[in-house]
Structures are given as structure tokens and as C-alpha cells.
Amino acid sequence: MSMRPPVDRQRIIHFLELLGQRFRKPGRVFLVGGTTLVFEGFRTQTLDVDLSFEVAEQDHGEFIRAVRALKDELAINVEEASPEDFIPLPEGYQGRAQFVGRFGTLDVYHFDVYSVALSKIERGLDADFADVLALLEAGWLDFATLSRYFAEILPQVGERSLKEDPQEFQRKFAYLGEAWAAKGS
């Protein structure tokens, strides 16, 4: 990864505005992870713009070229990422995407925050736990609902890859539960 400066909310918005001007085909962009947290003011900056997207198959290359050009022009890191890269996604995740706005012909959403939270818990960095706790404190997540989605996907964890460890994921979720309880919630 290059040593480009961190990205704040204004830089994310500027990136989306320019992307909407340059890619003139319909599509959906989903902000993921730290990008959502910065966009919504839970953090002031992130190292890169994490996103996933849906465009027509014939427009895929054009979209990638537009993102790559903006990456260089704006000196920002942009990563294609989805919670699905790390965990099985809970039922109904598509319907929980939150609309951010329209940029040109692109509809921009926050990826389902429950899926994002579960992927952060699975990764288990201190910053990830802090992010999930911030989302819980702000009411973006409900702990009982998060627990239900965790229980739903846990049997699938470990079946897709040797990298996934269901017992470790359970341990990390329990740690989050203890941290949430310690906050008096």
C-alpha cells in the first residue's frame, strides 16, 4: 500500500462527486467499514476508501478505470472490499443497506452495518472493537440483533476456508459482549 495521506469525510465526498461525474452509467456503490464510520462522523479519518459496487457487466471495466484514475489524481487509497470477503453474510443484508445519496447516476449506500460489524469482530483488532462499540453506542446497531445475526452465521464460519475459525470468532464476539456490558448498556 502506498503512503498516501488518510482520507476524511470531505475527501470521500469529493471522490464520490468526481466518480459520479466521470462514470455516467447506472450503478450502486456501497461504502464499507471505516469509510462509513468516517462519512458518518464516528471517526475523523481512515487510510482508504473501502467500497463494493454493482454495475452492469459491460460497464465493469469502465468503472474500474474511473476509480483507478481518481485514486491517482486525488492521491487516495481505494480498496474493493466487502464483509463477504471475511464472513458469511446474514440473511437480508441487502435490505439493510442505508442510502447515502446520488452522485451522478450512481446510488451510494452504506453496506449493511450488521455485516460490517460482524466482519470487524471477526478480524478482531482493537480499532475494530472500538468501531463496533461506537456504532452500538450511537444506536446504529442493536446488540440483541447483532447477537442474532452472529448466531445465524456462526455455523457457516469455517466451512468456506481454513482461515476462518468458528471458536476464535465466538471468543471475539464474547469479548465484544463483555466490553458492551462494561459500558453499562
Side-chain angles (χ1 to χ4, degrees):
M1 185 183 290
S2 66
M3 297 304 296
R4 294 177 171 173
V7 182
D8 62 13
R9 186 176 196 276
Q10 269 319 112
R11 292 187 80 203
I12 294 168
I13 291 170
H14 187 59
F15 166 77
L16 292 171
E17 288 171 344
L18 290 177
L19 182 60
Q21 290 169 15
R22 299 202 185 159
F23 182 77
R24 301 299 302 158
K25 310 273 176 55
R28 293 170 24 132
V29 174
F30 298 88
L31 304 180
V32 178
T35 307
T36 288
L37 289 153
V38 169
F39 193 91
E40 294 299 332
F42 294 106
R43 276 204 247 149
T44 58
Q45 60 186 18
T46 186
L47 294 178
D48 43 46
V49 174
D50 290 331
L51 56 82
S52 65
F53 62 93
E54 297 171 357
V55 297
E57 188 175 331
Q58 68 268 19
D59 300 331
H60 189 269
E62 182 181 342
F63 183 86
I64 295 292
R65 285 188 297 278
V67 169
R68 283 196 177 140
L70 287 170
K71 235 173 110 161
D72 293 338
E73 182 181 320
L74 299 175
I76 61 173
N77 294 313
V78 180
E79 300 290 330
E80 187 175 353
S82 167
E84 188 174 25
D85 298 337
F86 309 100
I87 60 164
L89 297 176
E91 188 74 33
Y93 74 93
Q94 302 99 323
R96 290 187 299 274
Q98 296 175 2
F99 186 68
V100 170
R102 182 164 260 237
F103 295 82
T105 57
L106 294 171
D107 288 327
V108 177
Y109 299 82
H110 293 303
F111 201 97
D112 169 38
V113 291
Y114 285 96
S115 298
V116 168
L118 290 167
S119 69
K120 284 181 163 292
I121 294 164
E122 194 281 329
R123 186 168 65 174
L125 301 176
D126 288 341
D128 293 324
F129 288 114
D131 287 344
V132 175
L133 290 169
L135 290 167
L136 284 162
E137 287 173 7
W140 275 57
L141 297 171
D142 170 72
F143 191 78
T145 304
L146 184 64
S147 297
R148 189 175 76 242
Y149 292 139
F150 170 76
E152 176 190 320
I153 70 168
L154 184 61
Q156 301 167 54
V157 172
E159 294 179 357
R160 303 182 316 165
S161 163
L162 287 172
K163 293 178 187 177
E164 296 174 350
D165 181 347
Q167 291 175 332
E168 184 66 11
F169 192 28
Q170 267 184 308
R171 185 192 66 72
K172 291 173 183 174
F173 194 85
Y175 173 79
L176 175 78
E178 291 166 10
W180 181 236
K183 288 192 167 284
S185 303

